[in-house]
Amino acid sequence: MSSPPAVARLASVRAALEHRQGRAESARLLLVEAVSEVTAHRPAMGAWLLFESAAMAWDAPDPVAAARDTRARVAGLDFAGHPVHRGAAGVLDTLAGDPVSGAAAIRDFAGYVVRTRHERGLIDQVRLHGWDMLLGEYRTVHDEAVALERECRTEGAVGVLPRVLLRLARLRLFLGRHRDAYTTAVEGLEIACDTGQHHLATMLSGVLALLAALDGEEPAAGPRPAARTDGDPCSGVAPIPIWLIRAQGLLDLGLGRYDRALQRFAVLTGGPHRHLMVSVHSLPDEVEAAVRTDRTTDAGAAADRFARWAGATGTAWAEAVDLRCRALLAADDATAEELYERALAVHEGDGRPFEEARTRLLYGERLRRAKRRAAAREALTTALESFERMPAAVWAERTRTELRAVGAAPAAPAARADLVGRLTAQELRVVRLAATGLSNRDIGARLFLSPRTVGYHLSNAYPKLGVTSRAALGALDLA
């Protein structure tokens, strides 16, 4: 019989190869078999393998069935109370539809990961980091991801950097930092393609599809166009389907195509991937689309599911959005107004400007229908300013329409005169680093570019920004 460490190592390597080829279920089964073989001799090692298996179940074709099968196969094994077993249990509970137990276990596990991060190598840190995203804790996870990104660049860890950049791109999207999300996703996509990590490339392409939808563009279902040359390894990468569906649904919702939006969100929230954050985020969207199409039963069911998740996680933004859903379902103006006011109070400083702006938009619409024009104008004006800052053009235009309906005359959307809008994603990354005083060589080391390529991007960026030297970059607003 092979030694437990040899069994564990072989299973992990084989599972990683299977997962990279898109065979998450096969990877899960390899790991579960190893858990059964190893745990009696090495409980801690078994706990780590179980966690890896739970992570694979997350990506399986039927995650619920995978989670239940994993739990059945390891029932009765003694993991000696190892904290990683707690994390695996949290992931499996979440997949199996128990958000309360899942959230509590994941919160404990996330604390353990942070406390012990200096005890493990970079690859393991990246692998274990970020599970508290399932709790909606985006700002904390973002700051940790920034530190991991910096460490990846310092160590030249090109292979794991795309995974960190994917996490950062999603977090920046969730935090309403749409321009930063775009540049992060583009860089991650390029590196993922160059390093042959197709699975990550499809997910990064999904982030870009959603950003395009927020800006009013119809997300493409097929492969993305070549971005660099005819030999661009990213030219055949289509967005991951679930993110594409969400992108299309949000665009439909923003444009008032409510029946189409409801159909798309129902696919996300009712299918086998209903556990994913992209699906959880779609529940309030489903509520809005269902209310708009007089499907109150569907709206109520989606609202109840989101309320259970929001209560389990305890995050402020989720509580605020839960209140917004209840306001949408309110039968009378007085109740709706009270719920909207409570939602906006909870939104204060919650780190989700897109959701807060949408709450103000919906509140403004309700106030307009109640003939409270002044109050409606105030709510809608604030929402418009927020949508324009992100930017989220399709939602900004919807808000302008509402403002015109209350007799306001909102300014037309400005042409892309902002500085960052003039630059390509790579130029913007280079210019931002140059503005901090870094040399071309240092910038190249950070972005995995040659100093000559850095100089090329700077020379292209200078005339677009109206400057002639890097010394002038520090005075520009490149946020």
Side-chain angles (χ1 to χ4, degrees), residues 24-29 32 35 49-75 79 85 87-99 102 106 131 134 272-276:
E25 176 64 6
S26 174
R28 179 189 71 86
L29 291 171
V32 172
V35 171
L49 289 169
L50 180 61
F51 183 84
E52 289 185 52
S53 174
M56 297 300 172
W58 196 265
D59 289 339
D62 187 342
V64 175
R68 290 173 178 168
D69 180 71
T70 299
R71 292 202 300 191
R73 287 170 181 262
V74 302
F79 295 93
H85 174 249
V91 173
L92 294 172
D93 285 345
T94 300
L95 288 175
D98 185 354
I106 289 168
W131 285 95
L134 302 181
H273 297 289
R274 58 190 293 172
H275 60 290
L276 295 176

Side-chain angles (χ1 to χ4, degrees), residues 287-434:
V287 172
E288 182 179 344
V291 167
R292 298 284 189 176
T293 53
D294 295 322
R295 293 176 172 89
T296 54
T297 301
D298 293 339
D304 288 344
R305 276 187 57 200
F306 187 80
R308 288 194 296 273
W309 179 82
T313 62
T315 53
W317 74 264
E319 179 188 352
V321 173
D322 174 36
L323 289 165
R324 182 179 83 204
C325 291
R326 290 162 56 188
L328 276 166
L329 290 164
D332 60 89
D333 289 336
T335 302
E337 181 173 348
E338 177 195 357
L339 289 167
Y340 277 124
E341 290 288 352
R342 287 172 57 191
L344 290 172
V346 178
H347 267 308
E348 188 71 30
D350 70 353
R352 298 298 309 279
F354 180 65
E355 296 300 338
E356 181 178 357
R358 287 182 58 188
T359 299
R360 291 188 187 278
L361 169 59
L362 290 169
Y363 188 21
E365 291 174 350
R366 185 98 187 202
L367 290 167
R368 176 184 62 76
R369 291 195 298 271
K371 309 299 184 184
R372 297 185 55 195
R373 290 177 175 270
R377 187 180 299 114
E378 180 182 357
L380 293 168
T381 299
T382 304
L384 177 58
E385 291 170 353
S386 186
F387 286 135
E388 288 183 327
R389 275 195 304 271
M390 284 174 226
V394 70
W395 292 85
E397 186 54 39
R398 175 173 154 181
T399 310
R400 284 190 195 90
T401 300
E402 286 295 321
L403 277 167
R404 286 189 285 269
V406 296
R416 289 295 295 260
D418 57 286
L419 293 177
V420 297
R422 303 172 187 175
L423 305 176
T424 68
Q426 190 72 293
E427 287 167 356
L428 179 57
R429 289 195 294 269
V430 169
V431 163
R432 280 176 169 166
L433 290 172

Side-chain angles (χ1 to χ4, degrees), residues 118-377:
H118 297 295
E119 298 176 9
R120 56 183 65 92
L122 180 58
I123 292 177
D124 281 343
Q125 289 183 51
V126 172
R127 180 165 58 94
L128 296 178
H129 167 263
W131 285 95
D132 38 346
M133 283 179 69
L134 302 181
L135 310 178
E137 297 287 355
Y138 301 136
R139 286 181 291 191
T140 300
V141 183
H142 175 271
D143 293 344
E144 294 166 356
V146 168
L148 281 175
E149 178 201 14
R150 188 180 303 117
E151 195 168 345
C152 285
R153 295 189 190 280
T154 299
E155 295 190 13
V158 182
V160 296
L161 181 58
R163 185 171 296 279
V164 177
L165 292 174
L166 170 64
R167 204 164 294 159
L168 274 173
R170 288 178 170 178
L171 288 162
R172 286 166 177 166
L173 171 63
F174 296 157
L175 294 172
R177 296 169 51 181
H178 296 174
R179 290 189 179 96
D180 289 342
Y182 175 79
T183 57
T184 304
V186 168
E187 181 185 10
L189 178 62
E190 291 174 351
I191 298 175
C193 291
D194 288 340
T195 55
Q197 300 185 71
H198 185 268
H199 182 55
L200 292 178
T202 63
M203 291 192 283
L204 285 153
S205 192
V207 175
L208 292 172
L210 203 152
L211 287 165
L214 290 173
D215 222 19
E217 300 176 23
E218 293 281 355
R224 64 185 288 275
R228 289 173 284 175
T229 67
D230 291 339
D232 179 8
C234 284
S235 62
V237 176
I240 189 170
I242 53 173
W243 276 72
L244 177 62
I245 294 170
R246 173 151 174 80
Q248 294 167 329
L250 273 179
L251 180 60
D252 288 336
L253 192 61
L255 293 175
R257 303 186 304 219
Y258 300 119
D259 281 307
R260 289 172 60 178
L262 182 59
Q263 291 171 10
R264 296 191 199 278
F265 294 134
V267 169
L268 286 176
T269 64
H273 297 289
R274 58 190 293 172
H275 60 290
L276 295 176
M277 288 310 302
V278 69
S279 301
V280 172
H281 285 186
S282 296
L283 287 167
D285 305 321
E286 184 177 4
V287 172
E288 182 179 344
V291 167
R292 298 284 189 176
T293 53
D294 295 322
R295 293 176 172 89
T296 54
T297 301
D298 293 339
D304 288 344
R305 276 187 57 200
F306 187 80
R308 288 194 296 273
W309 179 82
T313 62
T315 53
W317 74 264
E319 179 188 352
V321 173
D322 174 36
L323 289 165
R324 182 179 83 204
C325 291
R326 290 162 56 188
L328 276 166
L329 290 164
D332 60 89
D333 289 336
T335 302
E337 181 173 348
E338 177 195 357
L339 289 167
Y340 277 124
E341 290 288 352
R342 287 172 57 191
L344 290 172
V346 178
H347 267 308
E348 188 71 30
D350 70 353
R352 298 298 309 279
F354 180 65
E355 296 300 338
E356 181 178 357
R358 287 182 58 188
T359 299
R360 291 188 187 278
L361 169 59
L362 290 169
Y363 188 21
E365 291 174 350
R366 185 98 187 202
L367 290 167
R368 176 184 62 76
R369 291 195 298 271
K371 309 299 184 184
R372 297 185 55 195
R373 290 177 175 270
R377 187 180 299 114

